[in-house]
Amino acid sequence: MKNNSTIKKYKRIAPFYDKFMGNRLFRKARQQALSEIEVKPGHSLLLVGVGTGEDFSFLPKRNAITGMDLSEDMLKIAERKKNGRNITLLQMNAEEMDFQNQKFDIIVLNLILSVVEHPEKVLEKSFNYLAPEGTILIFDKFIDSYSHPNLIRRLLNKVTSAIGTDINRDFYKIKNALPIDITKEYKTLNGLYTIIVARDSRTTNDISV
Ligand SMILES: C[S@@+](CC[C@H](N)C(=O)[O-])C[C@H]1O[C@@H](n2cnc3c(N)ncnc32)[C@H](O)[C@@H]1O
């Protein structure tokens, strides 16, 4: 089953993850992405596929954060970065996430939609837990909407897929018919990564009426 192989994969990756993803350039891009959200006092945050908690240092210390991830090994590293903050970490499959009636003001999907088996399911599930007028932030590798990946990208994808990342996903196909309003979208890191800020279009439409 894919989830078991993901857990095994991240068991191997976890000890090295921060060495690769904690480099200066990448942290700068991550900071840029997280600076796109306005976190107000009292806002609750959900980090889907929180990994080793690399986002924590770019988020205000006062806010309650829930981080969930399939990999216990990644979560163990995130645990060490809590530093007494109001951060709850849960081992959970994003495709089946269940927070009952809880809603989050900000949901962060950093480097997760290119990794999970069913990204459309994860986006839809996340969206279900978004508070009215809440914000979704996405920072990931997507191809240009409705474009066909070129040969280099297709070849590169064979390599990245081996480590569990599909670089040829199209966010607009993932989002499909969800009532999501993209309020900002741009490329970063030499055009390899995309930053997307989105809201529930039903509430943004309400505001403009
Ligand atoms: C590339 S890492 C990104 C981690 C973190 N979001 C970041 O920005 O550094 C992908 C993470 O997604 C987690 N993951 C993969 N499939 C998942 C699933 N179905 N449910 C929850 N987490 C999952 C992995 O365990 C891993 O921690």
Side-chain angles (χ1 to χ4, degrees):
M1 200 180 147
K2 173 87 162 88
N3 287 338
N4 289 336
S5 68
T6 301
I7 289 171
K8 279 188 194 148
K9 192 174 293 161
Y10 279 94
K11 191 178 196 55
R12 288 193 301 270
I13 291 175
F16 310 102
Y17 188 84
D18 285 356
K19 285 201 172 64
F20 284 110
M21 305 307 272
N23 68 68
R24 197 177 52 84
L25 264 184
F26 203 84
R27 278 179 67 80
K28 213 172 156 203
R30 189 187 286 281
Q31 182 174 29
Q32 180 184 21
L34 290 162
S35 72
E36 294 293 352
I37 46 174
E38 193 189 353
V39 188
K40 293 187 179 155
H43 270 170
S44 55
L45 289 93
L46 172 65
L47 310 190
V48 180
V50 60
T52 60
E54 277 289 276
D55 290 331
F56 295 165
S57 58
F58 302 113
L59 294 168
K61 292 189 171 54
R62 58 178 186 264
N63 292 79
I65 297 175
T66 302
M68 49 86 72
D69 201 285
L70 198 57
S71 161
E72 194 186 351
D73 296 274
M74 295 292 271
L75 286 170
K76 270 186 195 155
I77 298 173
E79 188 70 38
R80 291 188 224 133
K81 297 180 188 166
K82 278 166 66 172
N83 288 328
R85 292 170 59 176
N86 184 4
I87 298 176
T88 306
L89 295 174
L90 305 166
Q91 190 175 16
M92 198 187 273
N93 181 357
E95 294 182 0
E96 292 160 12
M97 68 176 107
D98 183 2
F99 293 101
Q100 296 178 353
N101 297 326
Q102 208 174 338
K103 296 277 179 188
F104 297 91
D105 299 295
I106 292 164
I107 300 187
V108 177
L109 291 148
N110 283 352
L111 312 178
I112 179 81
L113 294 177
S114 58
V115 168
V116 290
E117 193 174 7
H118 301 108
E120 58 297 325
K121 214 187 234 181
V122 171
L123 185 63
E124 187 179 357
K125 282 270 178 192
S126 306
F127 193 63
N128 287 342
Y129 296 106
L130 186 68
E133 295 169 37
T135 306
I136 290 189
L137 173 74
I138 297 157
F139 168 50
D140 215 327
K141 303 161 282 295
F142 299 114
I143 51 165
D144 287 336
S145 180
Y146 296 103
S147 70
H148 189 66
N150 62 27
L151 180 67
I152 295 174
R153 204 152 171 141
R154 290 204 303 277
L155 289 174
L156 197 60
N157 198 35
K158 290 202 188 302
V159 180
T160 62
S161 293
I163 53 163
T165 300
D166 185 341
I167 60 166
N168 286 338
R169 290 186 175 170
D170 179 339
F171 179 72
Y172 285 79
K173 288 190 182 153
I174 295 170
K175 145 182 150 28
N176 194 18
L178 279 179
I180 285 182
D181 205 4
I182 295 174
T183 55
K184 204 167 204 179
E185 176 181 5
Y186 61 94
K187 297 274 184 196
T188 187
L189 285 173
N190 272 333
L192 285 174
Y193 287 77
T194 311
I195 295 171
I196 295 172
V197 184
R199 305 189 65 177
D200 183 335
S201 64
R202 292 164 301 187
T203 52
T204 45
N205 289 342
D206 284 352
I207 291 165
S208 59
V209 170

